[in-house]
């Protein structure tokens, strides 16, 4: 059972444009939603994360929008740069039992920012 | 501070051989995770240790896979015997259990089983 669905699988954006990646979850016990960035040959690295008590979190050019009622969250990359070209994973985690440590990952979105 | 260290970075072996992957977590982190990444299945949690004790190994695919954490600074993931379908990138990640949300991933070991 895929608990976190991520789309699109791949995304091509022109330099300076806005990249948008969407995720939907099923488990209402999730209360921590991170986004990880992975460059080729590297491990995933935390980019930005949000908890459901806020609807938006911004860090520089990266913004998470969170819709608790729709069980959806998205990553927006403003002024996309070629250096942002990477694979992005959304994830979700609960607060008790196995959910307190287990991150459930989306399948990833390969972003290519073209000059 | 050094991040999570994994070795080897690349491993090519033949079917039936034993493979051992190694991980050194970040000092002070008492949670350790082993993941497998493939195109088909994405990132899958294999096993989770807390304070060197295996807490959840429900993601370990089968008995051919085993993991140990003899002390706070070292963990191994062993596959015996290896099969071509085990080919994947294996990541180790660590986290502070108290007050830490972020999992820090190592660079991974790319395993190819011929």
């Amino acid at each position: 059972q895929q608990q976190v669905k991520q789309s699109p699988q791949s995304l091509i954006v022109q330099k300076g444009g806005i990249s948008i990646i969407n995720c939907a979850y099923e488990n209402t016990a999730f209360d921590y939603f991170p986004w990880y960035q992975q460059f080729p040959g590297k491990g995933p690295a935390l980019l930005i994360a949000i908890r459901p008590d806020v609807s938006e979190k911004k860090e520089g050019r990266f913004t998470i929008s969170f819709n608790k009622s729709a069980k959806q969250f998205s990553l927006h990359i403003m002024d996309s740069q070629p250096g942002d070209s990477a694979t992005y994973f959304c994830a979700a985690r609960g607060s008790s039992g196995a959910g307190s440590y287990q991150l459930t990952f989306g399948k990833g979105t390969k972003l290519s920012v073209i000059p | 501070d050094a991040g999570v260290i994994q070795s080897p970075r690349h491993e090519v072996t033949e079917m039936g051989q034993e493979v051992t992957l190694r991980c050194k977590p970040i000092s002070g982190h008492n949670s350790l995770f082993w993941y497998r990444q493939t195109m088909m299945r994405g990132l899958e949690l294999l096993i989770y240790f807390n304070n060197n004790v295996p807490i959840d190994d429900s993601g370990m695919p089968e008995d051919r896979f085993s993991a140990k954490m003899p002390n706070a600074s070292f963990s191994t993931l062993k596959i015996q015997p290896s099969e071509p379908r085990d080919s994947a990138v294996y990541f180790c990640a660590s986290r502070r259990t108290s007050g830490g949300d972020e999992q820090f991933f190592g660079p991974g070991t790319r395993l190819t089983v011929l």
Side-chain angles (χ1 to χ4, degrees):
Chain A
Q1 179 187 4
Q2 183 185 6
Q3 295 189 48
V4 178
K5 294 184 179 180
Q6 184 172 347
S7 63
Q9 238 179 334
S10 62
L11 182 62
I12 299 174
V13 174
Q14 287 227 304
K15 179 182 175 182
I18 302 174
S19 303
I20 301 174
I21 305 170
N22 301 299
C23 282
Y25 63 96
E26 300 165 3
N27 189 343
T28 55
F30 288 150
D31 71 348
Y32 171 68
F33 302 88
W35 284 89
Y36 279 78
Q37 180 188 53
Q38 184 178 25
F39 292 104
K42 305 288 187 182
L46 180 66
L47 184 63
I48 186 173
I50 197 169
R51 292 194 179 273
D53 52 343
V54 296
S55 60
E56 186 174 283
K57 183 174 182 180
K58 184 176 181 179
E59 290 184 1
R61 296 184 294 109
F62 301 90
T63 299
I64 299 179
S65 297
F66 185 82
N67 185 330
K68 187 174 181 178
S69 61
K71 294 188 284 185
Q72 295 175 347
F73 58 111
S74 59
L75 175 69
H76 296 235
I77 306 174
M78 310 300 288
D79 187 26
S80 300
Q81 299 296 311
D84 298 329
S85 298
T87 300
Y88 293 82
F89 295 91
C90 63
R93 193 194 72 204
S95 59
S96 63
S100 67
Y101 56 81
Q102 183 165 352
L103 280 174
T104 300
F105 285 90
K107 287 291 183 71
T109 296
K110 185 174 182 180
L111 171 65
S112 299
V113 181
I114 54 178
Chain B
D1 186 19
V4 175
I5 298 172
Q6 290 187 247
S7 65
R9 292 296 312 278
H10 302 273
E11 177 82 34
V12 180
T13 190
E14 292 193 344
M15 183 174 63
Q17 296 298 305
E18 177 180 297
V19 175
T20 300
L21 311 181
R22 296 172 176 80
C23 174
K24 177 178 169 56
I26 293 172
S27 177
H29 286 193
N30 51 356
S31 291
L32 185 137
F33 306 81
W34 281 100
Y35 288 89
R36 178 171 66 176
Q37 185 177 41
T38 61
M39 288 295 293
M40 288 296 296
R41 300 176 67 89
L43 271 163
E44 302 174 278
L45 177 65
L46 299 178
I47 188 168
Y48 161 61
F49 290 88
N50 188 45
N51 292 324
N52 313 336
V53 176
I55 303 299
D56 183 354
D57 65 355
S58 59
M60 296 285 262
E62 46 198 275
D63 291 345
R64 297 184 298 106
F65 286 68
S66 62
K68 294 182 180 179
M69 192 164 185
N71 57 62
S73 59
F74 184 65
S75 177
T76 60
L77 177 67
K78 185 178 292 186
I79 308 172
Q80 166 64 18
S82 57
E83 297 183 2
R85 61 193 167 118
D86 302 330
S87 298
V89 181
Y90 291 82
F91 289 102
C92 175
S94 70
R95 180 177 75 116
R96 283 184 296 117
T97 303
S98 299
D101 283 322
E102 181 177 357
Q103 289 187 21
F104 292 81
F105 283 76
T109 296
R110 180 173 293 278
L111 173 64
T112 302
V113 183
L114 303 174

